[in-house]
Amino acid sequence: MTDTTHGIGGLTFDASKRDWPPEAGVAIALVLITATFEILGRLIYGESFLFNTREGVDGLFNTQRLQVIILQVSIIGIISLGVTQVILTGGIDLSSGSVVAMTAMIAMSFAQVGDINGIPNSRAVFFDSGWVNLPVMLPVLVALAVGLCAGLVNGAFVAYTGIPPFIATLGMMVAARGAAQWWTAGQPVSFPTESYAAIGGGMMPVAIFVGLAILFHLILKYTVYGKHTYAIGSNEAAARMSGINVKRHKLMVYAMAGLLTGIAALVLSSKNLTAQSGMGLMYELDAIAMAVIGGISLQGGRGSVLGTVLGALIFGVIISGFTFLKLDAYYQEMVKGGIIVGAVVLDQWRQGRAARKM
Amino acid sequence: MSDIQTNISAGDVDHADGHPGDVILRTEKLTKHYGGVHALVDCDFEIRKGEHVAIMGDNGAGKSTFVRQITAVEQKTSGRIWFDGAYRDFNGPLEAREAGIETVFQNLALADHLDVPDNLFLGREKTLFNLGPFSILDYRGMREATMAGLQKTGVKIPNIRNTIQYMSGGQRQCVAIARTATFHSKLTIMDEPTAALGVQETAQVENIIRTLKEQGEPLILISHNMRQVMELCDRIVVWRRGRVCANLNVAETTGEEVVAYITGAKTQPEYASAA
Ligand SMILES: Nc1ncnc2c1ncn2[C@@H]1O[C@H](COP(=O)(O)OP(=O)(O)OP(=O)(O)O)[C@@H](O)[C@H]1O
Ligand SMILES: [Mg+2]
């Protein structure tokens, strides 16, 4: 009775032979893509993509390039952490880019200085009310609240009306963009306080992205919230029959995605020192692409935060690699598109192959 | 297709022990319509503490529908449910489960991408610290309880930490059954628990059911297997086209008679409306 190495039907089980996690495949892809740029760079220009070749500079790697690679994907990466959770439940969030713009516009309005080099900043949104030079906590809380609200609205529609997530978040995508324009009648919001500008300065976006990635990795793996997220994406009916409050959980997941989008808006507007109603365009698609490239299955239930982080890095390497090879941005977009479709095909194929193997 | 088996093995009919006590569950005129489909009509049903009752009937007779109403997986159209001392109107499966109804659903209700302990504890995870939804999972505790539960029920799974998506139908069924057997309950419902199982595994599940009987735990068993029902249950309630058409004491009936009720050849006078 205690012998559990024999399965039903007397099959034996080899405990040493476990399936590779899907993240391993993504990591290999990352290495292969990086190696390709390294080889092409050396062949075409005689330059190294990754390694430090400059005279008089210490270090094995080209640190500057590594920093750029991760810095340019950090902000969308933050959004992608939320999108990952939404996709894990079998949903989708198309509103992230617009919510970034709306949140940035509103939050930045509470972060403006009262005067620039002694001249009153009369174009500040709340100049007449005297709401300038406010403590940085205020715009931060506003950003979190606006992002959270957008997420709650998404979640409420998805969970309680039963309309497809695609439609609910498409509506938010259009509405939030409109709200971003309405807020200042299309005018950009600029001149934040120094403490606000510090949020997204230097390598701060990377630090925030990495910190949040670790936090959500732990949450998804070790908490009830994470377990239910996977369970709903894996089999929603089973989750409901097992007593999980599926509707409330979906509401929480979309709210979480909204909150992360709010944080991204904060970091982005701070880094750019300005907020414009047109910002964050197509971010939702890049965020989805990072997750999908990282092995998050669009059918839900499969993938991990680690995969999404690797997906974001692949993204960064591709952008930097194309710049490095002095190729036009058009090619970049075209290749990105190809890689997204390729990642989904690979996911389907992986599932099919795993089923055939059994 | 009707897959009723009439080979009753005489001799070890086992229904004498376990004296039925008070009523644990009673339904009054329980009805469920799916649009125009009357899947369940005016169903009066009763089970007492310690009693094992079988529900039989052809495919589509409404047996699983009955289970889904009791467990509040679906919202009933009309009727009342009395459970454990009071009329209850469960607002969702969690409430039914918390009230003490454990169910093996016909479609098993398992999450494919999770492993065995995760599935066993789905919806009532063991946690280390209570932080609401962000409570930390007690993976170790769940794993140990799973091993203990599987051993107690004699279920053998090669590696409980594999996701269950590629497990055989029988193995999946064993996981679902182990889930109900691991948790103590006031009423256990099994919807065709041995439908996909081989000879040995069926015997194991039947042993689990006998253990429940010894412990005096009531059971509703939905099954097409006549031998099994005759061996394990005290009473057989026959369903036909959404209605109850017979209520038979196992000691006073035969397999042939049950089949006659299932196929519609016979109807008890008190259920004449089902004819
Ligand atoms: N969601 C639904 N919508 C419409 N009709 C349904 C639905 N669920 C069940 N039915 C119908 O209700 C009837 C009873 O189905 P039910 O699943 O209860 O049968 P059953 O007695 O469990 O059969 P089986 O022995 O095959 O499991 C069937 O005619 C079925 O088609
Ligand atoms: Mg059924």
Side-chain angles (χ1 to χ4, degrees):
Chain A
M1 272 292 173
T2 53
D3 180 12
T4 51
T5 57
H6 290 270
I8 263 175
L11 299 175
T12 49
F13 165 68
D14 182 358
S16 63
K17 222 177 147 191
R18 295 197 66 173
D19 268 352
W20 282 52
E23 291 81 12
V26 185
I28 290 170
L30 176 62
V31 171
L32 288 180
I33 292 170
T34 314
T36 307
F37 284 122
E38 182 69 31
I39 291 165
L40 286 178
R42 286 184 189 253
L43 286 179
I44 302 171
Y45 300 107
E47 280 176 41
S48 171
F49 177 58
L50 208 56
F51 298 100
N52 175 26
T53 50
R54 275 188 294 172
E55 307 270 327
V57 180
D58 282 341
L60 175 61
F61 292 104
N62 183 339
T63 7
Q64 211 184 343
R65 176 119 55 215
L66 289 181
Q67 283 182 359
V68 169
I69 286 176
I70 180 156
L71 183 61
Q72 67 195 354
V73 294
S74 288
I75 291 172
I76 300 182
I78 294 170
I79 298 172
S80 191
L81 295 176
V83 168
T84 295
Q85 299 171 53
V86 169
I87 297 179
L88 279 176
T89 65
I92 197 95
D93 186 353
L94 295 178
S95 69
S96 330
S98 301
V99 172
V100 162
M102 173 176 77
T103 310
M105 294 291 285
I106 297 175
M108 191 78 149
S109 311
F110 293 91
Q112 290 177 291
V113 290
D115 53 285
I116 307 152
N117 302 326
I119 305 157
N121 180 17
S122 59
R123 290 179 60 188
V125 177
F126 293 122
F127 186 80
D128 295 335
S129 324
W131 297 350
V132 288
N133 301 323
L134 296 168
V136 70
M137 248 355 252
L138 199 76
V140 168
L141 287 178
V142 168
L144 299 183
V146 173
L148 185 70
C149 286
L152 281 171
V153 171
N154 279 336
F157 273 107
V158 171
Y160 295 100
T161 70
I163 59 173
F166 176 83
I167 299 299
T169 58
L170 186 73
M172 178 58 76
M173 174 187 177
V174 178
R177 184 69 66 189
Q181 285 159 352
W182 159 80
W183 183 251
T184 57
Q187 295 301 308
V189 185
S190 308
F191 302 110
T193 58
E194 252 174 56
S195 38
Y196 188 85
I199 296 171
M203 292 299 279
M204 276 301 283
V206 177
I208 294 172
F209 172 49
V210 172
L212 287 171
I214 292 170
L215 177 69
F216 279 97
H217 171 78
L218 296 176
I219 286 180
L220 285 185
K221 218 174 158 85
Y222 296 105
T223 72
V224 173
Y225 170 89
K227 196 57 70 191
H228 290 182
T229 303
Y230 282 95
I232 289 170
S234 180
N235 186 343
E236 190 171 328
R240 192 172 341 99
M241 288 189 200
S242 305
I244 296 172
N245 190 334
V246 173
K247 290 180 178 174
R248 198 186 60 196
H249 193 84
K250 280 189 178 176
L251 182 69
M252 279 204 309
V253 168
Y254 282 85
M256 197 69 90
L259 191 66
L260 282 161
T261 306
I263 295 175
L266 201 62
V267 178
L268 181 66
S269 58
S270 159
K271 177 169 174 270
N272 292 354
L273 302 175
T274 179
Q276 288 166 358
S277 57
M279 73 200 297
L281 209 61
M282 303 271 269
Y283 275 23
E284 61 281 343
L285 296 185
D286 282 355
I288 293 166
M290 284 176 187
V292 167
I293 291 173
I296 312 288
S297 168
L298 283 171
Q299 283 130 40
R302 268 171 343 107
S304 71
V305 167
L306 178 62
T308 298
V309 171
L310 290 171
L313 287 179
I314 288 181
F315 233 74
V317 166
I318 289 172
I319 301 171
S320 284
F322 274 72
T323 318
F324 165 67
L325 293 178
K326 304 181 179 70
L327 289 168
D328 279 327
Y330 329 122
Y331 296 113
Q332 235 180 70
E333 297 295 316
M334 280 152 61
V335 168
K336 239 160 67 178
I339 286 179
I340 293 165
V341 175
V344 178
V345 171
L346 199 70
D347 175 53
Q348 305 265 9
W349 177 77
R350 211 191 289 132
Q351 273 181 297
R353 189 189 57 146
R356 280 195 298 278
K357 218 167 49 174
M358 293 293 150
Chain B
M1 184 202 71
S2 167
D3 49 357
I4 299 151
Q5 300 165 16
T6 43
N7 53 328
I8 310 150
S9 67
D12 54 18
V13 177
D14 174 29
H15 49 77
D17 53 351
H19 300 285
D22 305 331
V23 173
I24 180 79
L25 174 92
R26 187 170 67 231
T27 66
E28 295 171 8
K29 299 218 173 301
L30 192 61
T31 301
K32 177 67 183 179
H33 297 170
Y34 298 105
V37 182
H38 296 195
L40 197 64
V41 182
D42 286 346
C43 166
D44 294 332
F45 177 90
E46 195 177 86
I47 178 169
R48 290 166 178 280
K49 285 183 182 150
E51 199 181 17
H52 280 198
V53 177
I55 293 181
M56 299 192 85
D58 259 333
N59 296 121
K63 308 180 295 294
S64 300
T65 304
F66 179 65
V67 174
R68 288 196 294 269
Q69 310 317 306
I70 302 176
T71 51
V73 167
E74 292 172 352
Q75 228 43 58
K76 60 186 187 290
T77 304
S78 64
R80 293 215 284 181
I81 296 170
W82 191 93
F83 179 71
D84 194 28
Y87 284 104
R88 303 296 298 266
D89 203 355
F90 298 127
N91 185 20
L94 183 59
E95 275 185 25
R97 204 178 198 185
E98 278 169 349
I101 302 179
E102 278 298 324
T103 313
V104 180
F105 290 99
Q106 190 170 13
N107 57 8
L108 301 181
L110 301 171
D112 270 354
H113 301 113
L114 302 183
D115 65 12
V116 178
D118 284 350
N119 267 293
L120 234 67
F121 286 90
L122 196 60
R124 53 184 153 190
E125 294 77 5
K126 273 180 190 264
T127 54
L128 292 174
F129 309 103
N130 191 358
L131 305 166
F134 299 103
S135 301
I136 310 295
L137 293 165
D138 178 10
Y139 274 114
R140 221 184 122 163
M142 290 195 278
R143 219 158 40 230
E144 281 164 4
T146 301
M147 295 300 279
L150 292 181
Q151 240 164 57
K152 197 174 81 184
T153 51
V155 171
K156 288 180 181 177
I157 305 272
N159 179 12
I160 61 166
R161 296 180 73 173
N162 275 353
T163 58
I164 65 158
Q165 64 180 321
Y166 304 122
M167 286 186 181
S168 77
Q171 287 169 325
R172 293 164 63 89
Q173 203 137 14
C174 287
V175 173
I177 291 161
R179 174 157 68 176
T180 45
T182 307
F183 298 93
H184 266 281
S185 58
K186 291 177 181 157
L187 173 64
T188 305
I189 303 173
M190 296 189 183
D191 194 348
E192 305 198 22
T194 59
L197 297 185
V199 180
Q200 267 189 336
E201 292 72 35
T202 300
Q204 267 167 8
V205 172
E206 289 173 355
N207 278 332
I208 296 173
I209 294 175
R210 285 193 189 93
T211 312
L212 287 178
K213 183 75 185 163
E214 281 159 20
Q215 293 167 345
E217 292 193 21
L219 169 82
I220 297 175
L221 174 68
I222 296 175
S223 174
H224 291 291
N225 184 329
M226 188 68 74
R227 173 200 58 78
Q228 185 175 66
V229 163
M230 291 302 232
E231 271 181 39
L232 297 172
C233 296
D234 307 309
R235 234 168 7 101
I236 300 175
V237 177
V238 181
W239 241 253
R240 198 162 70 227
R241 279 180 274 129
R243 293 165 191 270
V244 176
C245 69
N247 185 351
L248 307 158
N249 229 320
V250 166
E252 297 157 5
T253 187
T254 64
E256 285 76 18
E257 193 185 18
V258 177
V259 172
Y261 282 114
I262 292 171
T263 55
K266 269 174 94 172
T267 302
Q268 283 183 334
E270 59 266 46
Y271 297 110
S273 62

